[in-house]
Amino acid sequence: MRLKLYILTVSLFFNAFISASKTSNEIPIEQDRVFDNLSLDDEAKIFSISGNERGIKLNAISFERPSSSTIKNLNPFSKQDKYALQLLDENKKTIMIYGLGNPFYIHAQHIDFEDRDFFGGYIEANFKVAFPKDSDISYLILLEQNGEILRKINEISLDNK
């Protein structure tokens, strides 16, 4: 009886430890967001980003008029987005979370290959995103959505950029 109690106690301890370590970098999804409207006529802060499902890197920051595709790359975050971009201020407080969809996965369709298990794969993607010129963004964080939880993949500090 004591052995069973000991095994139960140890297993409960390990389960609590494992679940605590898994949630340390998880961010609950918040639904209330306010989005800035960008205009094609106004100058904006443009971030050129490249990456894959394991992380992103910032290639350049420029101040120019955004293209329509640059503005479309950032959408209100939704449950359909596999990846998201979290913007933080200098105090690491969330400014906004934008939905990216799944920019790192390419779908392929081929005639006579309908019986295949895979119709695509992960790729290295390059994309640009636009923000208001006066935005005080200090950190970019790539997040991955899994159900009701956002998991942090990597963080970029803009202090040195």
Side-chain angles (χ1 to χ4, degrees):
M1 182 68 174
R2 283 185 165 172
L3 181 61
K4 286 182 182 179
L5 184 61
Y6 176 75
I7 291 172
L8 178 65
T9 304
V10 169
S11 65
L12 289 173
F13 173 76
F14 281 120
N15 285 339
F17 178 76
I18 289 170
S19 64
S21 65
K22 283 183 182 177
T23 59
S24 63
N25 66 346
E26 294 176 346
I27 301 160
I29 296 173
E30 298 172 13
Q31 296 299 325
D32 298 328
R33 299 277 178 246
V34 177
F35 297 92
D36 295 315
N37 293 325
L38 292 172
S39 168
L40 295 173
D41 300 324
D42 297 330
E43 199 171 78
K45 191 183 293 189
I46 309 292
F47 290 51
S48 296
I49 297 172
S50 62
N52 56 36
E53 75 275 11
R54 293 181 303 278
I56 58 171
K57 74 174 191 173
L58 181 64
N59 298 321
I61 300 174
S62 60
F63 293 92
E64 58 191 72
R65 290 185 176 148
S67 67
S68 59
S69 64
T70 302
I71 291 175
K72 280 194 258 181
N73 282 339
L74 293 177
N75 296 305
F77 178 71
S78 73
K79 292 184 185 244
Q80 287 76 34
D81 291 308
K82 174 74 174 161
Y83 295 96
L85 192 62
Q86 182 180 23
L87 313 177
L88 304 178
D89 65 13
E90 62 186 20
N91 298 320
K92 290 205 169 189
K93 295 200 188 256
T94 299
I95 298 170
M96 213 167 297
I97 298 179
Y98 286 105
L100 294 175
N102 194 351
F104 313 119
Y105 191 85
I106 188 167
H107 294 276
Q109 293 182 346
H110 298 283
I111 297 173
D112 293 332
F113 287 90
E114 289 85 6
D115 60 336
R116 302 294 171 127
D117 291 335
F118 300 102
F119 286 100
Y122 283 94
I123 60 167
E124 184 83 18
N126 297 308
F127 56 95
K128 292 182 177 182
V129 291
F131 302 106
K133 187 177 176 180
D134 59 347
S135 58
D136 61 342
I137 302 166
S138 296
Y139 299 93
L140 294 176
I141 299 177
L142 179 65
L143 303 170
E144 179 182 28
Q145 181 172 209
N146 185 6
E148 293 292 319
I149 299 295
L150 288 172
R151 183 179 64 87
K152 178 178 169 181
I153 295 176
N154 78 316
E155 178 179 311
I156 299 170
S157 173
L158 303 179
D159 292 337
N160 300 330
K161 307 280 186 221

